[in-house]
Amino acid sequence: GLDGLREYAVLGDGGTIAITLFRSMGWLSRGDLPERRGHAGPELETPSAQLTGEVTTRYCVIPYWSDGGVATAARLVREFLSPPVLIGPGSVAMPFLRLDGDTSVQLSSLRAAPEGGVLVRLVNPGRDPATATLRFDRPIVRSRPVDLREGEESLGNTGLDVIRTSSPLDLDAGAAIAALAPYEIGSWLITLE
């Protein structure tokens, strides 16, 4: 994962990864490139596109053979690029949610819910059962599983008497443990202290 320009290439030796840290150019398009005939766009000089001065970059490398394969790698890259943080007036950004446990479990949705709670949706994309521990910036007081309608019973015309929900979260010392079946999507309304 690369924070900024998300471009990379595996070089011909199969073991070297080249990443684009920054890009500067003098022309928007040039017609004298050996790789291409003509222009890819207008022939315009772009002197303000010259990147000068110090540049700070961040990147992470996740080996594909790590536990969990592609699902784990995708989660780790997403958490690196966009960690869930809490930002309020006059406050410093701080972690709002930490997800521990099986690295295959993915955070699919995290948003405000009615009456001051939060809605959390987790996905287990694997063929094995998985668990994850949710730790918020403050203790969890209570939770209840909901279906994909997120507690809005009036949404959708399912025609079914019972809509399946995930198992309830197991609350433990202010955190919560979610147990997900293979390929399961779980949604919970959570009230924080």
Side-chain angles (χ1 to χ4, degrees), residues 69-83:
V70 173
T72 296
R75 172 180 162 185
L76 294 172
V77 168
R78 186 170 35 254
E79 287 177 352
F80 169 77
L81 293 173
S82 303

Side-chain angles (χ1 to χ4, degrees), residues 132-153:
T133 302
L134 299 142
R135 296 183 202 294
F136 287 89
D137 67 330
R138 51 193 191 268
I140 298 172
V141 176
R142 67 183 163 278
S143 70
R144 73 177 171 98
V146 293
D147 60 27
L148 291 175
R149 297 177 295 174
E150 303 175 354
E152 296 289 332
E153 303 300 324

Side-chain angles (χ1 to χ4, degrees), residues 161-174:
D161 292 334
V162 176
I163 304 292
R164 186 186 176 287
T165 60
S166 298
S167 300
L169 294 174
D170 182 15
L171 300 184
D172 180 30

Side-chain angles (χ1 to χ4, degrees), residues 7 15 30 37 55 59 71 73 115 139 148 154 167 179 184 189-190:
E7 297 176 359
R30 289 181 39 184
R37 282 192 209 152
V55 176
Y59 66 93
E115 300 174 19
L148 291 175
S154 62
S167 300
E184 182 178 13
L189 287 172
I190 295 175

Side-chain angles (χ1 to χ4, degrees), residues 19-168:
I19 58 176
T20 303
L21 297 177
F22 63 89
R23 183 183 296 134
S24 295
M25 61 189 126
W27 293 85
L28 190 57
S29 178
R30 289 181 39 184
D32 61 348
L33 299 176
E35 305 89 31
R36 179 188 69 233
R37 282 192 209 152
H39 289 278
E43 181 179 11
L44 294 173
E45 260 190 290
T46 56
S48 62
Q50 300 301 308
L51 188 60
T52 59
E54 186 176 315
V55 176
T56 303
T57 61
R58 293 181 337 130
Y59 66 93
C60 69
V61 176
I62 311 292
Y64 179 71
W65 57 85
S66 67
D67 293 342
V70 173
T72 296
R75 172 180 162 185
L76 294 172
V77 168
R78 186 170 35 254
E79 287 177 352
F80 169 77
L81 293 173
S82 303
V85 295
L86 178 64
I87 300 173
S91 68
V92 175
M94 58 185 260
F96 177 64
L97 169 65
R98 193 173 82 229
L99 189 62
D100 298 318
D102 291 326
T103 55
S104 61
V105 175
Q106 310 275 326
L107 176 64
S108 170
S109 178
L110 174 64
R111 66 174 186 79
E115 300 174 19
V118 293
L119 179 101
V120 175
R121 179 171 296 129
L122 301 176
V123 177
N124 176 12
R127 68 179 89 198
D128 297 316
T131 60
T133 302
L134 299 142
R135 296 183 202 294
F136 287 89
D137 67 330
R138 51 193 191 268
I140 298 172
V141 176
R142 67 183 163 278
S143 70
R144 73 177 171 98
V146 293
D147 60 27
L148 291 175
R149 297 177 295 174
E150 303 175 354
E152 296 289 332
E153 303 300 324
S154 62
L155 293 178
N157 181 11
T158 65
L160 301 174
D161 292 334
V162 176
I163 304 292
R164 186 186 176 287
T165 60
S166 298
S167 300

